[in-house]
């Protein structure tokens, strides 16, 4: 496979006490730059604007108002890109920011512009870093503009760039027959070929404190990709060199593949 989309969540970029996890930024920069140098085309979908913004402002609770949250996100997105730019530059890798809203699906003209931008960046061996544009897309209120979450956004991005694979990194090492956080006897699935209602029913709970979607949104992303003849791997973000192993074909995490 050549074109790869990698999605990383807030819980993998922040420490448990809400601080930026600089080691993770560094490792991500190292792994993705190395792959890029080896000829892979890499797109990174990164959450974390809210978490990074809260750390920057030294606050521990999300503002209640939506404009308040959007303000933190605006601050955090800027700071997060600053971190990416700096850490990737240590590996001589340039990144570019792409902020998206749902209208790329509604308006073919917008989609065309987005596709052209991705292609131009990848052509220049630059790694696009994608996030939802929280200034425009408002949570819950606006289903026209909001993707819902970055898990589903990453699946849409994988489809529009024609990716060979989406690597979905999480705080969990794969998809289990029941929520392993609350069921120690849960067993890992190595392969899922169809995301049925039965499969969806095995995802429980709301996910981590920092994560937003939990397992449901990851399954929706997988279902979308399977419908579009693409594949997804769900794996743990703790040691990011796992990305090398996945691309070398080792059986790691859960493969969603037909
Ligand atoms: P992230 O923040 O890494 O994007 P989330 O914390 O939102 O991820 O979602 C992953 C969590 O989903 C797991 O840590 C686990 O608690 C929960 N979960 C619920 N059902 C399952 C399941 N069947 N298999 C694996 N994890 C599950």
């Amino acid at each position: 496979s050549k074109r790869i989309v990698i999605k990383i969540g807030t819980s993998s970029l922040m420490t448990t006490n809400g601080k930026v996890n600089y080691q993770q930024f560094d490792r991500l920069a190292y792994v993705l730059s190395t792959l890029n140098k080896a000829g892979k085309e890499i797109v990174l979908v990164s959450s974390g604007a809210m978490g990074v913004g809260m750390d920057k402002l030294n606050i521990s609770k999300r503002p209640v108002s939506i404009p308040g949250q959007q303000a933190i996100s605006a601050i955090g997105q800027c700071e997060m890109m600053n971190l990416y730019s700096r850490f990737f530059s240590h590996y001589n890798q340039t990144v570019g920011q792409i902020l998206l809203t749902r209208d790329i699906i509604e308006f073919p003209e917008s989609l065309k512009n987005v596709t052209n931008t991705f292609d131009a960046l990848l052509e220049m061996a630059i790694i696009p870093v994608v996030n939802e544009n929280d200034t425009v897309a408002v949570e819950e209120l606006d289903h026209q503009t909001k993707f819902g979450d970055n898990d589903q956004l990453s699946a849409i991005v994988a489809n529009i760039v024609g990716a060979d694979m989406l690597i979905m990194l999480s705080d969990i090492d794969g998809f289990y027959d029941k929520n392993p956080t609350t069921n120690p006897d849960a067993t890992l699935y190595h392969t899922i070929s169809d995301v049925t209602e039965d499969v969806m029913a095995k995802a429980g709970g709301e996910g981590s404190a920092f994560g937003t979607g939990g397992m449901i949104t990851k399954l929706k992303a997988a279902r979308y990709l399977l419908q579009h003849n693409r594949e997804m791997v769900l794996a743990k973000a703790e040691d990011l060199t796992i990305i090398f192993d996945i691309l070398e074909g080792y059986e790691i995490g859960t493969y969603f593949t037909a």
Side-chain angles (χ1 to χ4, degrees):
S1 37
K2 203 173 179 306
R3 211 170 255 202
I4 312 292
V5 176
I6 296 174
K7 189 265 168 179
I8 191 153
T10 311
S11 61
S12 311
L13 295 171
M14 307 291 295
T15 65
T16 41
N17 55 8
K19 297 280 155 206
V20 171
N21 188 337
Y22 295 104
Q23 279 99 336
Q24 285 289 82
F25 274 89
D26 178 58
R27 284 185 205 122
L28 193 57
Y30 162 68
V31 171
L32 300 191
S33 304
T34 303
L35 290 171
N36 193 60
K37 257 107 222 160
K40 305 263 190 228
E41 294 179 325
I42 305 292
V43 174
L44 174 63
V45 177
S46 176
S47 310
M50 185 69 80
V52 173
M54 284 167 59
D55 183 20
K56 173 97 180 162
L57 294 180
N58 242 307
I59 56 172
S60 56
K61 269 204 221 70
R62 270 185 185 223
V64 267
S65 80
I66 287 175
Q69 292 175 19
Q70 288 174 295
I72 308 293
S73 173
I75 295 159
Q77 178 67 29
C78 181
E79 182 66 13
M80 185 171 77
M81 286 312 299
N82 183 24
L83 290 169
Y84 278 128
S85 182
R86 258 168 44 212
F87 279 99
F88 275 89
S89 76
H90 297 160
Y91 302 97
N92 294 309
Q93 178 67 53
T94 303
V95 296
Q97 173 182 252
I98 294 194
L99 296 176
L100 298 176
T101 58
R102 214 183 167 86
D103 46 74
I104 61 161
I105 306 170
E106 315 285 326
F107 304 108
E109 199 60 34
S110 305
L111 179 58
K112 185 101 197 54
N113 293 334
V114 169
T115 310
N116 289 343
T117 308
F118 273 119
D119 286 342
L121 287 169
L122 292 172
E123 182 75 20
M124 296 160 77
I126 286 165
I127 297 180
V129 181
V130 186
N131 198 1
E132 181 150 33
N133 187 339
D134 287 334
T135 306
V136 179
V138 170
E139 214 169 340
E140 279 132 24
L141 299 180
D142 196 343
H143 299 289
Q144 299 292 350
T145 53
K146 187 85 183 160
F147 285 105
D149 56 85
N150 274 0
D151 291 338
Q152 289 175 84
L153 169 63
S154 65
I156 291 166
V157 166
N159 196 44
I160 64 181
V161 303
D164 302 282
M165 185 189 276
L166 169 63
I167 301 179
M168 176 84 70
L169 298 165
S170 179
D171 59 353
I172 195 88
D173 58 347
F175 175 61
Y176 287 75
D177 64 343
K178 48 196 163 199
N179 187 350
T181 317
T182 44
N183 303 278
D185 63 328
T187 52
L188 178 75
Y189 288 108
H190 292 289
T191 317
I192 297 277
S193 57
D194 189 7
V195 182
T196 59
E197 285 310 306
D198 271 1
V199 168
M200 294 289 280
K202 298 179 197 301
E206 292 277 279
S208 62
F210 278 113
T212 42
M215 194 47 57
I216 294 273
T217 54
K218 291 170 180 51
L219 292 177
K220 285 183 181 165
R223 187 174 60 190
Y224 176 90
L225 285 172
L226 287 173
Q227 282 164 355
H228 291 83
N229 298 311
R230 300 190 192 282
E231 48 181 39
M232 179 179 118
V233 180
L234 175 62
K236 199 173 169 98
E238 193 174 43
D239 175 1
L240 289 167
T241 58
I242 198 173
I243 297 168
F244 292 136
D245 302 334
I246 291 168
L247 294 177
E248 273 169 34
Y250 290 100
E251 265 203 34
I252 289 163
T254 304
Y255 275 79
F256 294 86
T257 177

